[in-house]
Amino acid sequence: MVWLVAQQRLLTQDRLIKMNITTVNCCFLCGDAEESHSHLFFDCYYSRICLQLISDWCLLQLPVTECIHWWVKWRTPELSRKKIIAMILASILAHVWFSRNKCRIEGYVLRPTVLCRMIKMEVQHRLNTCVIQSQNRRVLDWVHYLQSA
Ligand SMILES: [Zn+2]
Protein backbone atom coordinates (compact mmCIF):
# COMPACT_ATOMS: atom_id res chain seq x y z
CA MET A 1 0.00 0.00 0.00
CA VAL A 2 2.70 2.48 1.01
CA TRP A 3 4.76 1.47 -1.97
CA LEU A 4 1.81 2.27 -4.22
CA VAL A 5 1.50 5.68 -2.57
CA ALA A 6 5.22 6.30 -3.02
CA GLN A 7 4.93 5.38 -6.69
CA GLN A 8 1.68 7.38 -7.01
CA ARG A 9 -0.04 4.32 -8.45
CA LEU A 10 -3.29 4.36 -6.47
CA LEU A 11 -6.33 5.18 -8.56
CA THR A 12 -6.91 8.69 -7.31
CA GLN A 13 -9.34 10.95 -9.15
CA ASP A 14 -6.61 12.75 -11.09
CA ARG A 15 -5.40 9.41 -12.48
CA LEU A 16 -8.94 8.28 -13.26
CA ILE A 17 -9.46 11.44 -15.31
CA LYS A 18 -6.30 10.74 -17.29
CA MET A 19 -7.69 7.24 -17.98
CA ASN A 20 -11.03 8.75 -19.09
CA ILE A 21 -12.82 6.80 -16.37
CA THR A 22 -14.29 9.86 -14.70
CA THR A 23 -14.67 13.54 -15.50
CA VAL A 24 -15.07 14.94 -11.98
CA ASN A 25 -12.22 15.49 -9.58
CA CYS A 26 -13.12 16.48 -6.06
CA CYS A 27 -11.53 15.13 -2.89
CA PHE A 28 -13.98 12.75 -1.20
CA LEU A 29 -12.67 13.59 2.25
CA CYS A 30 -12.71 17.39 2.27
CA GLY A 31 -14.52 18.43 -0.91
CA ASP A 32 -12.25 21.46 -1.13
CA ALA A 33 -9.65 20.39 -3.68
CA GLU A 34 -8.92 18.06 -6.53
CA GLU A 35 -7.84 14.61 -5.42
CA SER A 36 -4.27 13.57 -6.12
CA HIS A 37 -1.74 11.60 -4.14
CA SER A 38 -0.09 14.73 -2.78
CA HIS A 39 -3.41 16.29 -1.82
CA LEU A 40 -4.99 13.18 -0.32
CA PHE A 41 -2.05 12.10 1.81
CA PHE A 42 -0.22 15.35 2.55
CA ASP A 43 -2.35 18.44 1.95
CA CYS A 44 -5.93 17.44 2.71
CA TYR A 45 -7.10 18.90 6.01
CA TYR A 46 -8.69 15.53 6.87
CA SER A 47 -5.32 13.77 6.55
CA ARG A 48 -3.60 16.55 8.45
CA ILE A 49 -6.08 16.22 11.32
CA CYS A 50 -5.45 12.48 11.44
CA LEU A 51 -1.70 13.01 11.37
CA GLN A 52 -1.93 15.53 14.19
CA LEU A 53 -4.15 13.30 16.33
CA ILE A 54 -1.77 10.38 15.90
CA SER A 55 1.23 12.65 16.50
CA ASP A 56 -0.35 13.72 19.78
CA TRP A 57 -0.91 10.11 20.75
CA CYS A 58 2.67 9.14 19.86
CA LEU A 59 4.11 12.14 21.71
CA LEU A 60 5.92 12.98 18.48
CA GLN A 61 5.60 15.47 15.70
CA LEU A 62 5.23 13.20 12.69
CA PRO A 63 6.23 14.83 9.42
CA VAL A 64 3.34 16.41 7.57
CA THR A 65 5.09 16.06 4.25
CA GLU A 66 7.58 13.59 2.91
CA CYS A 67 6.47 10.87 5.28
CA ILE A 68 6.67 8.44 2.37
CA HIS A 69 10.36 9.17 2.09
CA TRP A 70 10.70 8.55 5.80
CA TRP A 71 8.94 5.24 5.39
CA VAL A 72 11.22 4.10 2.59
CA LYS A 73 14.31 5.33 4.44
CA TRP A 74 13.33 3.80 7.77
CA ARG A 75 12.50 0.27 6.70
CA THR A 76 15.09 -1.33 8.94
CA PRO A 77 15.15 -4.98 10.02
CA GLU A 78 15.33 -4.27 13.74
CA LEU A 79 12.56 -2.86 15.85
CA SER A 80 13.73 0.66 16.39
CA ARG A 81 11.98 3.90 17.12
CA LYS A 82 12.25 4.77 13.43
CA LYS A 83 10.73 1.46 12.38
CA ILE A 84 7.79 1.99 14.74
CA ILE A 85 7.26 5.47 13.34
CA ALA A 86 7.39 4.03 9.82
CA MET A 87 4.76 1.47 10.86
CA ILE A 88 2.55 4.23 12.27
CA LEU A 89 2.91 6.32 9.11
CA ALA A 90 2.05 3.30 6.97
CA SER A 91 -1.06 2.72 9.06
CA ILE A 92 -2.09 6.36 8.66
CA LEU A 93 -1.73 6.17 4.86
CA ALA A 94 -3.63 2.90 4.63
CA HIS A 95 -6.45 4.19 6.81
CA VAL A 96 -6.76 7.48 4.93
CA TRP A 97 -7.09 5.47 1.72
CA PHE A 98 -9.64 3.20 3.47
CA SER A 99 -11.63 6.24 4.62
CA ARG A 100 -11.49 7.76 1.13
CA ASN A 101 -12.77 4.52 -0.41
CA LYS A 102 -15.47 4.16 2.23
CA CYS A 103 -16.69 7.66 1.43
CA ARG A 104 -16.59 6.97 -2.31
CA ILE A 105 -18.62 3.76 -1.92
CA GLU A 106 -20.88 4.50 1.04
CA GLY A 107 -21.15 8.27 0.73
CA TYR A 108 -20.07 9.42 4.17
CA VAL A 109 -16.77 10.39 5.78
CA LEU A 110 -15.61 8.76 8.98
CA ARG A 111 -14.74 11.31 11.62
CA PRO A 112 -10.97 11.69 12.01
CA THR A 113 -11.25 10.66 15.66
CA VAL A 114 -12.90 7.39 14.60
CA LEU A 115 -10.26 6.74 11.96
CA CYS A 116 -7.50 7.51 14.44
CA ARG A 117 -8.99 5.07 16.94
CA MET A 118 -8.73 2.42 14.20
CA ILE A 119 -5.12 3.42 13.49
CA LYS A 120 -4.24 3.21 17.19
CA MET A 121 -5.84 -0.22 17.49
CA GLU A 122 -3.91 -1.50 14.48
CA VAL A 123 -0.60 -0.12 15.74
CA GLN A 124 -1.22 -1.51 19.22
CA HIS A 125 -2.12 -4.90 17.76
CA ARG A 126 1.08 -4.92 15.71
CA LEU A 127 3.17 -3.89 18.72
CA ASN A 128 1.50 -6.55 20.87
CA THR A 129 2.15 -9.30 18.35
CA CYS A 130 5.70 -8.49 17.29
CA VAL A 131 8.77 -9.61 19.16
CA ILE A 132 10.38 -6.61 20.75
CA GLN A 133 14.11 -7.08 20.53
CA SER A 134 15.26 -3.58 21.19
CA GLN A 135 17.81 -3.11 23.96
CA ASN A 136 17.11 0.61 24.05
CA ARG A 137 15.26 1.42 27.28
CA ARG A 138 13.69 4.58 25.82
CA VAL A 139 12.29 2.64 22.85
CA LEU A 140 10.92 -0.06 25.15
CA ASP A 141 9.30 2.52 27.43
CA TRP A 142 7.75 4.26 24.43
CA VAL A 143 6.44 0.94 23.06
CA HIS A 144 4.86 0.14 26.45
CA TYR A 145 3.28 3.61 26.47
CA LEU A 146 1.87 3.13 22.94
CA GLN A 147 0.53 -0.31 23.85
CA SER A 148 -1.45 1.09 26.74
CA ALA A 149 -2.26 4.70 25.80
ZN1 LIG B 1 -9.10 16.67 0.65
Side-chain angles (χ1 to χ4, degrees), residues 18-139:
K18 288 178 184 170
M19 297 174 182
N20 292 320
I21 294 175
T22 187
T23 56
V24 177
N25 187 351
C26 186
C27 176
F28 289 102
L29 297 177
C30 71
D32 287 339
E34 292 187 348
E35 184 188 83
S36 64
H37 281 78
S38 64
H39 171 76
L40 187 62
F41 296 107
F42 306 112
D43 297 329
C44 183
Y45 85 87
Y46 182 93
S47 301
R48 286 178 175 259
I49 290 171
C50 292
L51 193 64
Q52 189 58 56
L53 290 171
I54 295 300
S55 293
D56 293 347
W57 169 58
C58 295
L59 307 176
L60 293 171
Q61 188 56 53
L62 296 170
V64 173
T65 59
E66 300 183 10
C67 68
I68 295 296
H69 304 296
W70 286 38
W71 183 84
V72 171
K73 186 177 171 183
W74 287 358
R75 286 189 315 157
T76 60
E78 65 185 54
L79 181 62
S80 65
R81 185 178 173 90
K82 290 179 179 179
K83 185 170 185 178
I84 295 168
I85 292 171
M87 176 178 64
I88 293 167
L89 291 171
S91 183
I92 293 170
L93 294 175
H95 280 81
V96 166
W97 185 244
F98 165 79
S99 183
R100 177 264 190 204
N101 288 335
K102 188 170 186 64
C103 181
R104 183 176 185 208
I105 295 167
E106 299 179 17
Y108 69 93
V109 181
L110 288 171
R111 283 181 292 157
T113 52
V114 172
L115 195 70
C116 288
R117 197 164 37 237
M118 296 167 69
I119 294 168
K120 280 177 60 176
M121 288 175 60
E122 180 183 88
V123 169
Q124 288 175 328
H125 176 74
R126 286 176 184 251
L127 289 173
N128 288 335
T129 56
C130 69
V131 176
I132 300 172
Q133 297 174 334
S134 176
Q135 301 300 315
N136 184 322
R137 186 75 236 162
R138 289 182 61 203
V139 171

Side-chain angles (χ1 to χ4, degrees), residues 1-9 37 68 71-72:
M1 161 71 207
V2 177
W3 187 249
L4 291 173
V5 175
Q7 299 299 313
Q8 300 190 18
R9 301 301 294 172
H37 281 78
I68 295 296
W71 183 84
V72 171

